[in-house]
Amino acid sequence: MFLAQPRLKGRTSLVTAHHHPPPYARIWDRVPATVTVIRVPRITAATAAFTTTVVAANLLTNHVGLVGVGFGMRATAGTVAAGLTLLARDWVHHTAGRRWVLACIGVGALASALLATPRLALASAATFGLSELADLLVYQRLYARGWALAAVGSNTVGAPVDTIVFLAMAGFPVWAAAPGQLWVKALATIIPVALVACCRALLRHRLRPPGR
């Protein structure tokens, strides 16, 4: 009798705990569904942005060629889109993870090969794969220190690789076009990152509890 009583109490407490979970348990149960609902549109938007910039960069470069970009510099017409592609890749990595990024890089390289002339196709596919993988490796290492630093740092590595390899393989004058390419890609990185950082700071300020 003495041994049975603790068991009964133990069972009663377990049943009670089962039927009356703590308040945080109800919130926790909703988290996976909420996260999934939020992530799917973000992943879709990031993937769409990545695909759009890849297609735009190839079509503009293939059909327009070199254009003036100010200060007497010239760059391929798809340079702005190419710079945004690096940021879009970082966005895909942030929302969907490394495996999805690698799949997108493979699809992007294939699209680059299909949307250009044979020489541009080879240059685009090879350059795209190299620059995006370099961008990915740097982004992974820097992300723990903040998204803005990771995005700028990874594009700082990815943009020169993309520029020099592509110009050399595609037959464009490397040293004549490289300054303009890097200038435009720098702007295509810094301006969006600065806008996102400002929006985040504004949201944090507006959502901050009163008195803090």
Coordinates of all heavy atoms in Angstrom, one line a residue, residues 27-95:
I27 N 2.0 27.8 -27.7 CA 2.7 28.7 -28.6 C 3.7 27.9 -29.4 O 3.8 28.0 -30.7 CB 3.4 29.8 -27.9 CG1 2.4 30.7 -27.1 CG2 4.2 30.7 -28.8 CD1 3.0 31.7 -26.2
W28 N 4.4 27.0 -28.8 CA 5.5 26.2 -29.5 C 4.8 25.3 -30.6 O 5.4 25.1 -31.6 CB 6.2 25.4 -28.5 CG 7.3 24.6 -29.1 CD1 7.3 23.3 -29.3 CD2 8.6 25.1 -29.6 NE1 8.5 22.9 -29.9 CE2 9.3 24.0 -30.1 CE3 9.1 26.4 -29.7 CZ2 10.5 24.1 -30.7 CZ3 10.4 26.5 -30.2 CH2 11.1 25.4 -30.7
D29 N 3.7 24.8 -30.3 CA 3.0 23.9 -31.3 C 2.7 24.7 -32.5 O 2.6 24.1 -33.6 CB 1.7 23.4 -30.7 CG 2.0 22.3 -29.6 OD1 3.1 21.8 -29.6 OD2 1.1 22.0 -28.8
R30 N 2.5 26.0 -32.4 CA 2.1 26.8 -33.6 C 3.3 27.2 -34.4 O 3.2 27.6 -35.6 CB 1.3 28.0 -33.2 CG 0.0 27.7 -32.5 CD -0.8 29.0 -32.5 NE -1.9 28.8 -31.5 CZ -2.0 29.4 -30.3 NH1 -1.0 30.2 -29.9 NH2 -3.0 29.2 -29.5
V31 N 4.5 27.2 -33.8 CA 5.7 27.7 -34.5 C 6.0 27.1 -35.8 O 6.2 27.8 -36.8 CB 6.9 27.7 -33.5 CG1 8.2 28.0 -34.3 CG2 6.7 28.7 -32.4
P32 N 6.1 25.7 -35.9 CA 6.5 25.1 -37.2 C 5.6 25.5 -38.4 O 6.1 25.9 -39.4 CB 6.4 23.6 -36.9 CG 6.6 23.5 -35.5 CD 5.9 24.7 -34.9
A33 N 4.3 25.5 -38.1 CA 3.4 25.9 -39.2 C 3.5 27.3 -39.6 O 3.5 27.7 -40.8 CB 1.9 25.6 -38.7
T34 N 3.7 28.2 -38.6 CA 3.9 29.6 -38.9 C 5.1 29.9 -39.7 O 5.1 30.6 -40.6 CB 3.9 30.4 -37.5 OG1 2.7 30.1 -36.8 CG2 4.0 31.9 -37.8
V35 N 6.2 29.2 -39.2 CA 7.5 29.4 -39.9 C 7.4 28.9 -41.4 O 7.9 29.6 -42.3 CB 8.6 28.7 -39.2 CG1 9.9 28.6 -40.0 CG2 8.9 29.3 -37.8
T36 N 6.7 27.8 -41.5 CA 6.6 27.2 -42.9 C 5.8 28.2 -43.8 O 6.2 28.5 -44.9 CB 5.9 25.9 -42.9 OG1 6.7 25.0 -42.0 CG2 5.8 25.3 -44.3
V37 N 4.7 28.7 -43.2 CA 3.9 29.6 -44.0 C 4.6 30.9 -44.4 O 4.5 31.4 -45.5 CB 2.6 30.0 -43.2 CG1 1.8 31.1 -43.9 CG2 1.7 28.8 -43.1
I38 N 5.5 31.4 -43.5 CA 6.2 32.6 -43.8 C 7.4 32.3 -44.7 O 7.6 33.1 -45.7 CB 6.8 33.2 -42.5 CG1 5.6 33.7 -41.6 CG2 7.8 34.3 -42.7 CD1 6.1 34.2 -40.2
R39 N 8.0 31.2 -44.6 CA 9.2 30.9 -45.4 C 8.9 30.6 -46.8 O 9.7 31.0 -47.7 CB 10.0 29.7 -44.8 CG 10.8 30.0 -43.5 CD 11.6 28.8 -43.1 NE 12.6 28.5 -44.1 CZ 13.2 27.4 -44.2 NH1 12.9 26.4 -43.4 NH2 14.1 27.1 -45.1
V40 N 7.8 29.9 -47.1 CA 7.5 29.5 -48.5 C 7.4 30.8 -49.4 O 8.1 30.8 -50.5 CB 6.2 28.7 -48.6 CG1 5.8 28.5 -50.0 CG2 6.5 27.3 -47.9
P41 N 6.7 31.8 -49.1 CA 6.7 33.0 -50.0 C 8.0 33.6 -50.1 O 8.4 34.1 -51.2 CB 5.6 33.9 -49.3 CG 4.8 33.0 -48.5 CD 5.7 32.0 -48.0
R42 N 8.8 33.6 -49.0 CA 10.1 34.2 -49.1 C 11.1 33.5 -50.0 O 11.8 34.0 -50.8 CB 10.7 34.3 -47.7 CG 10.1 35.4 -46.8 CD 10.7 35.4 -45.4 NE 10.1 36.4 -44.6 CZ 10.5 36.7 -43.3 NH1 11.5 35.9 -42.8 NH2 9.9 37.6 -42.6
I43 N 11.0 32.1 -49.9 CA 11.9 31.3 -50.7 C 11.5 31.5 -52.2 O 12.3 31.6 -53.1 CB 11.7 29.8 -50.3 CG1 12.4 29.6 -48.9 CG2 12.4 28.9 -51.3 CD1 12.1 28.3 -48.3
T44 N 10.2 31.5 -52.4 CA 9.7 31.7 -53.8 C 10.1 33.0 -54.4 O 10.6 33.1 -55.5 CB 8.1 31.6 -53.9 OG1 7.7 30.3 -53.3 CG2 7.6 31.7 -55.3
A45 N 10.0 34.1 -53.6 CA 10.4 35.4 -54.0 C 11.9 35.5 -54.3 O 12.3 36.0 -55.3 CB 10.0 36.5 -53.0
A46 N 12.7 34.9 -53.4 CA 14.1 34.9 -53.5 C 14.6 34.1 -54.8 O 15.4 34.6 -55.6 CB 14.8 34.3 -52.3
T47 N 14.0 33.0 -55.0 CA 14.3 32.2 -56.2 C 13.9 32.9 -57.5 O 14.6 32.9 -58.4 CB 13.6 30.8 -56.1 OG1 13.9 30.2 -54.8 CG2 14.0 29.9 -57.2
A48 N 12.7 33.5 -57.4 CA 12.3 34.3 -58.6 C 13.2 35.4 -58.9 O 13.5 35.7 -60.1 CB 10.9 34.8 -58.4
A49 N 13.7 36.1 -57.9 CA 14.6 37.2 -58.1 C 15.9 36.7 -58.7 O 16.5 37.3 -59.6 CB 14.8 38.0 -56.8
F50 N 16.4 35.6 -58.1 CA 17.7 35.1 -58.6 C 17.5 34.7 -60.1 O 18.4 35.0 -60.9 CB 18.0 33.8 -57.8 CG 19.3 33.2 -58.1 CD1 20.5 33.6 -57.6 CD2 19.3 32.1 -58.9 CE1 21.7 33.0 -57.9 CE2 20.5 31.4 -59.3 CZ 21.7 31.9 -58.8
T51 N 16.5 34.0 -60.4 CA 16.3 33.5 -61.8 C 16.1 34.7 -62.8 O 16.7 34.7 -63.9 CB 15.0 32.6 -61.9 OG1 15.1 31.5 -61.0 CG2 14.8 32.0 -63.3
T52 N 15.3 35.7 -62.4 CA 15.1 36.9 -63.2 C 16.4 37.6 -63.5 O 16.7 38.0 -64.7 CB 14.1 37.8 -62.5 OG1 12.9 37.1 -62.3 CG2 13.8 39.0 -63.4
T53 N 17.2 37.8 -62.5 CA 18.5 38.5 -62.7 C 19.5 37.7 -63.6 O 20.2 38.3 -64.4 CB 19.2 38.9 -61.4 OG1 19.3 37.7 -60.6 CG2 18.3 39.9 -60.6
V54 N 19.5 36.4 -63.4 CA 20.3 35.6 -64.3 C 19.9 35.7 -65.8 O 20.7 35.9 -66.7 CB 20.3 34.1 -63.9 CG1 21.0 33.2 -64.9 CG2 20.9 33.9 -62.5
V55 N 18.6 35.6 -66.0 CA 18.1 35.7 -67.4 C 18.4 37.1 -68.0 O 18.8 37.2 -69.1 CB 16.6 35.4 -67.4 CG1 16.0 35.7 -68.8 CG2 16.4 33.9 -67.1
A56 N 18.1 38.1 -67.2 CA 18.3 39.5 -67.6 C 19.8 39.8 -67.9 O 20.1 40.4 -69.0 CB 17.8 40.5 -66.6
A57 N 20.7 39.3 -67.1 CA 22.1 39.6 -67.3 C 22.6 38.9 -68.6 O 23.3 39.6 -69.4 CB 22.9 39.0 -66.2
N58 N 22.1 37.7 -68.9 CA 22.5 37.0 -70.1 C 21.9 37.7 -71.4 O 22.6 37.8 -72.4 CB 22.2 35.6 -70.0 CG 23.2 34.8 -69.2 OD1 24.2 34.4 -69.6 ND2 22.8 34.6 -67.9
L59 N 20.6 38.0 -71.3 CA 20.0 38.5 -72.5 C 20.5 39.9 -72.9 O 20.8 40.2 -74.0 CB 18.5 38.6 -72.3 CG 17.7 37.3 -72.2 CD1 16.2 37.5 -71.9 CD2 17.8 36.5 -73.5
L60 N 20.7 40.7 -71.8 CA 21.3 42.1 -72.1 C 22.7 42.0 -72.6 O 23.0 42.8 -73.6 CB 21.2 42.9 -70.8 CG 19.8 43.4 -70.3 CD1 19.9 43.9 -68.9 CD2 19.2 44.4 -71.3
T61 N 23.5 41.2 -72.1 CA 24.9 41.1 -72.5 C 24.9 40.5 -74.0 O 25.7 41.0 -74.8 CB 25.7 40.2 -71.6 OG1 25.7 40.8 -70.3 CG2 27.1 40.1 -72.1
N62 N 24.1 39.6 -74.2 CA 24.1 38.9 -75.5 C 23.6 39.8 -76.6 O 24.1 39.8 -77.8 CB 23.3 37.6 -75.5 CG 23.4 36.8 -76.7 OD1 24.5 36.7 -77.3 ND2 22.3 36.2 -77.2
H63 N 22.6 40.6 -76.3 CA 21.9 41.4 -77.4 C 22.4 42.9 -77.5 O 22.2 43.5 -78.5 CB 20.4 41.4 -77.2 CG 19.8 40.0 -77.4 ND1 19.7 39.5 -78.7 CD2 19.3 39.1 -76.5 CE1 19.2 38.3 -78.6 NE2 18.9 38.0 -77.3
V64 N 23.0 43.4 -76.4 CA 23.4 44.8 -76.4 C 24.9 45.0 -76.4 O 25.4 45.9 -77.1 CB 22.8 45.5 -75.2 CG1 23.2 47.0 -75.2 CG2 21.3 45.4 -75.1
G65 N 25.6 44.2 -75.6 CA 27.1 44.3 -75.6 C 27.6 45.3 -74.6 O 27.0 45.4 -73.5
L66 N 28.6 46.1 -75.0 CA 29.2 47.1 -74.1 C 28.4 48.4 -74.2 O 27.9 48.8 -75.2 CB 30.6 47.3 -74.5 CG 31.6 46.2 -74.2 CD1 33.0 46.5 -74.8 CD2 31.8 45.9 -72.7
V67 N 28.2 49.0 -73.0 CA 27.6 50.3 -72.9 C 28.4 51.2 -72.0 O 29.2 50.8 -71.2 CB 26.1 50.2 -72.3 CG1 25.3 49.4 -73.3 CG2 26.1 49.5 -71.0
G68 N 28.2 52.5 -72.1 CA 28.8 53.5 -71.2 C 28.2 53.5 -69.8 O 26.9 53.4 -69.7
V69 N 29.0 53.6 -68.8 CA 28.4 53.6 -67.4 C 28.9 54.8 -66.6 O 28.8 54.8 -65.4 CB 28.9 52.3 -66.7 CG1 28.2 51.1 -67.3 CG2 30.4 52.1 -66.6
G70 N 29.4 55.8 -67.3 CA 29.8 57.0 -66.6 C 31.3 57.1 -66.4 O 32.0 56.0 -66.3
F71 N 31.8 58.3 -66.2 CA 33.3 58.5 -65.9 C 34.2 57.9 -67.0 O 35.3 57.5 -66.8 CB 33.7 58.0 -64.6 CG 32.8 58.5 -63.4 CD1 31.8 57.7 -62.9 CD2 33.1 59.8 -62.9 CE1 31.1 58.2 -61.8 CE2 32.3 60.3 -61.9 CZ 31.3 59.5 -61.3
G72 N 33.6 57.9 -68.3 CA 34.4 57.3 -69.4 C 34.6 55.8 -69.3 O 35.4 55.3 -70.1
M73 N 33.9 55.1 -68.5 CA 34.0 53.7 -68.3 C 32.9 53.0 -69.1 O 31.8 53.5 -69.4 CB 34.0 53.3 -66.9 CG 35.2 53.8 -66.1 SD 35.2 53.1 -64.3 CE 33.7 54.0 -63.7
R74 N 33.2 51.7 -69.5 CA 32.3 50.9 -70.2 C 32.1 49.6 -69.5 O 33.0 49.1 -68.9 CB 32.7 50.7 -71.7 CG 32.7 52.0 -72.5 CD 33.3 51.8 -73.9 NE 32.5 50.9 -74.7 CZ 31.4 51.3 -75.4 NH1 31.0 52.5 -75.3 NH2 30.8 50.4 -76.1
A75 N 31.0 48.9 -69.7 CA 30.7 47.6 -69.1 C 29.7 46.9 -70.0 O 29.0 47.6 -70.8 CB 30.2 47.8 -67.7
T76 N 29.6 45.6 -69.8 CA 28.5 44.9 -70.6 C 27.2 45.3 -70.0 O 27.0 45.7 -68.9 CB 28.7 43.4 -70.4 OG1 28.7 43.1 -69.0 CG2 30.0 42.9 -71.0
A77 N 26.2 45.2 -70.9 CA 24.8 45.8 -70.6 C 24.2 45.0 -69.4 O 23.3 45.5 -68.7 CB 23.9 45.7 -71.8
G78 N 24.6 43.8 -69.2 CA 24.0 43.0 -68.2 C 24.7 43.1 -66.8 O 24.4 42.3 -65.9
T79 N 25.6 44.0 -66.7 CA 26.4 44.1 -65.4 C 25.5 44.4 -64.2 O 25.8 43.8 -63.1 CB 27.5 45.2 -65.6 OG1 28.3 44.9 -66.7 CG2 28.3 45.3 -64.4
V80 N 24.6 45.3 -64.3 CA 23.7 45.6 -63.1 C 23.0 44.4 -62.7 O 22.9 44.0 -61.5 CB 22.7 46.7 -63.5 CG1 21.8 46.9 -62.3 CG2 23.5 48.0 -63.7
A81 N 22.4 43.7 -63.7 CA 21.7 42.4 -63.3 C 22.6 41.4 -62.7 O 22.2 40.6 -61.8 CB 21.0 41.9 -64.6
A82 N 23.9 41.3 -63.3 CA 24.8 40.4 -62.7 C 25.2 40.7 -61.3 O 25.3 39.8 -60.5 CB 26.1 40.3 -63.6
G83 N 25.3 42.0 -61.0 CA 25.6 42.4 -59.6 C 24.4 42.0 -58.7 O 24.6 41.6 -57.6
L84 N 23.2 42.3 -59.2 CA 22.0 41.9 -58.4 C 21.9 40.4 -58.2 O 21.3 39.9 -57.2 CB 20.8 42.5 -59.0 CG 20.7 44.0 -59.0 CD1 19.5 44.5 -59.8 CD2 20.7 44.6 -57.6
T85 N 22.4 39.6 -59.2 CA 22.3 38.2 -59.0 C 23.1 37.7 -57.8 O 22.7 36.8 -57.1 CB 22.9 37.5 -60.3 OG1 22.2 37.9 -61.4 CG2 23.0 36.0 -60.2
L86 N 24.2 38.3 -57.5 CA 25.0 37.9 -56.3 C 24.2 38.2 -55.1 O 24.2 37.4 -54.1 CB 26.3 38.7 -56.3 CG 27.3 38.4 -57.5 CD1 28.5 39.3 -57.4 CD2 27.7 37.0 -57.4
L87 N 23.5 39.4 -55.0 CA 22.7 39.6 -53.8 C 21.5 38.7 -53.8 O 21.1 38.3 -52.7 CB 22.2 41.1 -53.9 CG 23.1 42.2 -53.4 CD1 22.4 43.5 -53.5 CD2 23.5 42.0 -52.0
A88 N 20.9 38.4 -54.9 CA 19.8 37.5 -54.9 C 20.2 36.1 -54.4 O 19.5 35.4 -53.7 CB 19.2 37.4 -56.3
R89 N 21.4 35.7 -54.8 CA 22.0 34.4 -54.3 C 22.1 34.4 -52.8 O 21.7 33.4 -52.1 CB 23.3 34.1 -55.0 CG 23.8 32.7 -54.8 CD 25.3 32.6 -54.5 NE 25.6 33.4 -53.3 CZ 25.4 33.0 -52.1 NH1 24.8 31.8 -51.8 NH2 25.7 33.7 -51.0
D90 N 22.6 35.5 -52.2 CA 22.6 35.6 -50.8 C 21.3 35.6 -50.1 O 21.1 35.0 -49.1 CB 23.3 37.0 -50.4 CG 24.8 37.0 -50.8 OD1 25.4 36.0 -51.0 OD2 25.3 38.1 -51.0
W91 N 20.3 36.1 -50.8 CA 18.9 36.1 -50.3 C 18.4 34.7 -50.3 O 17.7 34.2 -49.3 CB 18.0 37.0 -51.2 CG 16.6 37.2 -50.6 CD1 16.2 36.9 -49.4 CD2 15.5 37.7 -51.3 NE1 14.8 37.2 -49.3 CE2 14.4 37.7 -50.5 CE3 15.3 38.2 -52.7 CZ2 13.1 38.2 -50.9 CZ3 14.1 38.6 -53.0 CH2 13.0 38.6 -52.1
V92 N 18.6 33.9 -51.4 CA 18.2 32.5 -51.4 C 18.9 31.7 -50.3 O 18.3 30.9 -49.7 CB 18.6 31.9 -52.8 CG1 18.3 30.4 -52.8 CG2 17.8 32.6 -53.9
H93 N 20.2 32.0 -50.1 CA 20.9 31.3 -49.1 C 20.3 31.6 -47.7 O 20.1 30.7 -46.8 CB 22.4 31.7 -49.1 CG 23.2 30.9 -48.2 ND1 24.6 31.1 -48.1 CD2 23.0 29.9 -47.4 CE1 25.1 30.2 -47.2 NE2 24.1 29.5 -46.8
H94 N 19.9 32.8 -47.5 CA 19.4 33.3 -46.2 C 18.0 32.6 -45.9 O 17.7 32.3 -44.8 CB 19.3 34.8 -46.2 CG 18.7 35.3 -44.9 ND1 19.4 35.3 -43.7 CD2 17.5 35.9 -44.6 CE1 18.6 35.9 -42.8 NE2 17.4 36.2 -43.3
T95 N 17.2 32.5 -47.0 CA 15.8 32.0 -46.8 C 15.7 30.5 -46.9 O 14.9 29.9 -46.2 CB 14.9 32.7 -47.8 OG1 15.3 32.4 -49.1 CG2 14.8 34.1 -47.5

